Amino acid sequence: MLNEIFNECETKMQGSIEHMQRDFKTLRTGKVGTSVLDNIKIDYYGTPTSLDQVGSVIATDATTIVINPWEKNLLNDIESAISAANIGVNPNNDGEQIKLFFPPMTVEQRQESAKKMKGMGENAKVSIRNDRRDANDKIKKLEKDKEITQDESKSAQDNIQKITDKYITKVDSILKDKEAEILKV
């Protein structure tokens, strides 16, 4: 039963890291990627739908993204959704497709991206610490219910702390690598 708690805790902590890495994809680094559009949704027949579900979204070079909707009547909806998302570019609608021309990142923009990335990392650490607290609460409940001894409880909580330390270190390592990527000129 303690192994179940350890495994569940580790699974949740890994999920926190995966969530952080998904969030990182929305950050802009030196080369623009289509993932900067991941959080933009349009109303497609009453359903909020991501842009890659209503057309092709392609990064044609390091500074340009082209959105070619499958239904041309969606051009204005896509254009207004991109404008509302405030991603740092104005959409160019030529009646067939939308082009986004991203200017090269300034030092200030790189620093702002690094700042956002650190905030995402801190959120992941908080989530990991919450997972630790939840696991420790389960262990304390087992001890209170006399299902494990006090020594087993202490040992299990130490094990949870080791797992937590491992994942916090992993977050720090990922943050360091990502920061180097963002600030690289």
Side-chain angles (χ1 to χ4, degrees):
M1 95 189 100
L2 287 176
N3 283 336
E4 288 175 19
I5 293 173
F6 298 149
N7 290 338
E8 179 185 349
C9 180
E10 199 152 356
T11 301
K12 286 182 176 180
M13 290 179 179
Q14 183 61 40
S16 297
I17 287 182
E18 289 166 4
H19 184 269
M20 175 188 71
Q21 289 177 318
R22 275 192 309 276
D23 285 349
F24 283 172
K25 290 180 181 176
T26 64
L27 291 175
R28 182 159 172 225
T29 58
K31 179 180 182 277
V32 70
T34 60
S35 57
V36 297
L37 304 174
D38 283 355
N39 292 334
I40 300 176
K41 308 272 189 241
I42 65 161
D43 182 36
Y44 185 65
Y45 298 108
T47 305
T49 308
S50 61
L51 296 180
D52 63 350
Q53 299 294 312
V54 295
S56 65
V57 180
I58 302 167
T60 57
D61 59 40
T63 60
T64 308
I65 293 178
V66 176
I67 303 160
N68 199 347
W70 294 312
E71 297 177 29
K72 300 305 177 206
N73 62 330
L74 296 174
L75 279 168
N76 291 332
D77 292 343
I78 293 171
E79 186 177 12
S80 59
I82 291 170
S83 295
N86 194 18
I87 58 172
V89 294
N90 291 321
N92 296 312
N93 180 348
D94 67 6
E96 290 291 317
Q97 59 190 7
I98 294 176
K99 291 185 179 180
L100 306 174
F101 299 103
F102 290 83
M105 288 182 75
T106 64
V107 171
E108 291 82 19
Q109 288 171 320
R110 289 177 185 277
Q111 290 170 341
E112 184 62 30
S113 276
K115 187 176 170 185
K116 287 180 184 174
M117 180 254 332
K118 287 179 182 175
M120 293 171 182
E122 283 306 312
N123 290 343
K125 288 181 183 181
V126 167
S127 179
I128 288 168
R129 291 183 190 116
N130 287 339
D131 295 335
R132 173 188 60 193
R133 183 197 62 225
D134 294 344
N136 282 338
D137 288 348
K138 289 177 184 176
I139 292 168
K140 289 174 186 172
K141 185 178 181 331
L142 289 176
E143 180 186 353
K144 184 181 172 211
D145 294 344
K146 305 278 189 230
E147 293 183 37
I148 60 173
T149 66
Q150 190 173 0
D151 288 344
E152 288 172 324
S153 172
K154 175 76 173 112
S155 173
Q157 289 178 52
D158 288 345
N159 197 5
I160 292 292
Q161 184 59 46
K162 286 177 187 163
I163 294 169
T164 303
D165 293 342
K166 177 176 92 173
Y167 280 93
I168 294 287
T169 302
K170 198 181 272 193
V171 167
D172 288 335
S173 173
I174 293 168
L175 285 174
K176 183 179 172 194
D177 293 345
K178 190 69 175 173
E179 183 176 29
E181 177 186 335
I182 289 174
L183 296 178
K184 181 177 66 179
V185 178

